[in-house]
Amino acid sequence: MLVQPSVTSPSVERTLRRLEIAVTRRLDGMLLGEHLGLLPGQGTEKAESREYHVGDDVRRMDWAVTARTTVPHVHDLVADRELETWALVDLTASQEFGTTSLRKRDLAIAATAAVGFLTARTGNRMGAVVLTPTGPQLIPARPGRQGLRSLLRTLLSVPEGAHDRPARQPDAGAATDLAAAIAELDRPRRRRGLAVVVSDFLSTDLSWERPMRVLSTRHQLLAVEVLDPAELILPSVGLLPVVDAETGTLVEIPTGSRRVRDRYREAAAEHRAQVELALRRVGAAHLVLRTDSDWLVDIVRFVSTSRTTRGAARRAPVDRGNLGGTGRAPARSGAAGRPRGLAGRVALP
């Protein structure tokens, strides 16, 4: 278990404060809303209206929609339940890379903070499995914003361990095992909730796809992919010595060759496409954050687009035979007429 330092450095506190201010000021007003339960059941939260069927409770009659459509309608109800969020945060050596004002490590912690502050409500809890250079570490789930601040303070205090020069004996076994870390995210078996995987997904064998598919069967799954532009395109700077941050292996790349640069660009684009396809196959929502763009704007755009897509998917097809010559589809009311919680059920899809 990752133990939080008894004395937190002033720089960690300043960074934590800047993160909280950035998220709460720029995201809170646009994306807030209570989440609905992950499980169907009786409750007090109104969902969409539907036509009345024999046996429905008449106390749930939606008289406004019934009057407009002349067809009896009732409210569906969903149970409002406590949300538990677990995040896998990749803070291994490869995350310490960055060619702009941000490193991928900083972006990963910022993404975790955004998810945390947007889901922090009374009773909601958030925990994390942190993938560090020394192996996965557990941060127990705690409720409220104080628990979230403690989690972020611990993430900011994780020591760095990247190789800044070639190792005498490169250790191939030091490479990140993302698949094993994802499998640990649901051990022991946790209650249904939101699972977030924050990583650069640089593993070329895509071995993480299977454990993510297993994870998505019980939890709503969000994958946050953090990228740096230099990982997608090689600059033309002649013979470029590159050290693998995790294994210490030295590789010299002749970037002066246009053929080498083109092959690198094509390979990087192909890998990104494979990652996107794999995440789509497992049913995960896919958020891409880059170190050279405004991550807050990217999150707002992602959630807004996801809401619009879900709203279109929820709309029932218009039954032309029941329009009665009015030319209008049956109206809806209740929760269907206002923004659905954060990402429909929880803060982020």
Side-chain angles (χ1 to χ4, degrees), residues 213-279:
R213 181 180 289 111
V214 174
L215 192 64
S216 66
T217 59
R218 279 186 54 82
H219 305 279
Q220 192 174 356
L221 186 58
L222 169 66
V224 182
E225 183 181 10
V226 293
L227 298 175
D228 186 89
E231 295 173 329
L232 307 177
I233 300 177
L234 278 178
S236 179
V237 293
L239 188 62
L240 178 65
V242 178
V243 178
D244 188 317
E246 297 187 359
T247 65
T249 304
L250 174 65
V251 178
E252 294 184 339
I253 305 175
T255 62
S257 169
R258 175 175 295 181
R259 181 181 178 184
V260 171
R261 296 198 306 271
D262 290 345
R263 289 179 60 188
Y264 181 91
R265 184 181 66 253
E266 293 169 1
E270 182 182 357
H271 179 65
R272 298 268 71 81
Q274 290 175 351
V275 169
E276 182 179 0
L277 180 61
L279 292 175

Side-chain angles (χ1 to χ4, degrees), residues 63-264:
W63 296 111
V65 177
T66 299
R68 289 198 297 271
T69 63
T70 68
V71 177
H73 278 70
V74 294
H75 283 299
D76 273 335
L77 299 178
V78 293
D80 187 16
R81 301 180 188 273
E82 173 185 315
L83 173 67
E84 183 167 289
T85 302
W86 278 90
L88 172 64
V89 188
D90 185 356
L91 296 184
T92 52
S94 66
Q95 296 288 78
E96 297 172 28
F97 177 73
T99 57
T100 66
S101 58
L102 282 178
R103 297 176 302 169
K104 293 194 297 179
R105 173 192 175 104
D106 304 325
L107 198 54
I109 296 176
T112 307
V115 173
F117 283 118
L118 291 174
T119 57
R121 297 290 183 275
T122 302
N124 291 350
R125 309 194 315 156
M126 183 172 185
V129 174
V130 189
L131 196 52
T132 71
T134 58
Q137 309 288 343
L138 174 69
I139 303 177
R142 295 180 56 190
R145 294 208 171 194
Q146 287 302 322
L148 174 62
R149 291 188 186 100
S150 176
L151 184 151
L152 294 175
R153 193 174 291 113
T154 306
L155 293 181
L156 290 167
S157 302
V158 172
E160 302 178 3
H163 287 276
D164 57 356
R165 57 180 56 88
R168 291 183 178 179
Q169 294 182 345
D171 182 9
T176 300
D177 190 350
L178 185 60
I182 293 174
E184 288 292 331
L185 195 59
D186 201 30
R187 295 177 185 165
R189 196 84 164 184
R190 309 189 193 280
R191 60 182 301 178
R192 286 171 57 91
L194 174 64
V196 184
V197 179
V198 186
S199 177
D200 50 17
F201 295 98
L202 288 181
S203 175
T204 56
D205 59 1
L206 302 183
S207 59
W208 45 263
E209 182 179 353
R210 181 179 178 84
M212 283 197 73
R213 181 180 289 111
V214 174
L215 192 64
S216 66
T217 59
R218 279 186 54 82
H219 305 279
Q220 192 174 356
L221 186 58
L222 169 66
V224 182
E225 183 181 10
V226 293
L227 298 175
D228 186 89
E231 295 173 329
L232 307 177
I233 300 177
L234 278 178
S236 179
V237 293
L239 188 62
L240 178 65
V242 178
V243 178
D244 188 317
E246 297 187 359
T247 65
T249 304
L250 174 65
V251 178
E252 294 184 339
I253 305 175
T255 62
S257 169
R258 175 175 295 181
R259 181 181 178 184
V260 171
R261 296 198 306 271
D262 290 345
R263 289 179 60 188
Y264 181 91

